[in-house]
Amino acid sequence: VDGVGAGLAFGTEARYNLKDHISVGLRIEIAVYGASDDLGTDVDLGAAGSYTLMGDYYFNTESSKRAFA
């Protein structure tokens, strides 16, 4: 559809430190989008979402700089 298009996206991430060296998290993202032709007679709508489970291991907890994998 040629014409006008728009969309809105939202994402958030929560983390929890199990120990000083280990953290786990969940990231959620949602997007809604749409488009219409110049006259507004043909409209397309869509949505997409994703989630990711994450974990980090911190090698050093004694410094202000913490490398992780």
Side-chain angles (χ1 to χ4, degrees):
V1 174
D2 291 333
V4 179
L8 179 66
F10 174 77
T12 188
E13 180 178 326
R15 286 193 168 268
Y16 180 73
N17 288 336
L18 296 176
K19 296 184 177 185
D20 283 343
H21 289 283
I22 299 172
S23 73
V24 294
L26 174 67
R27 176 183 296 176
I28 298 172
E29 297 175 345
I30 300 169
V32 179
Y33 48 88
S36 69
D37 62 3
D38 291 332
L39 299 175
T41 58
D42 188 16
V43 177
D44 290 333
L45 299 174
S50 69
Y51 63 92
T52 306
L53 297 173
M54 298 174 293
D56 290 338
Y57 178 81
Y58 295 93
F59 295 106
N60 183 6
T61 61
E62 306 299 322
S63 172
S64 63
K65 297 177 181 161
R66 298 178 65 175
F68 64 92

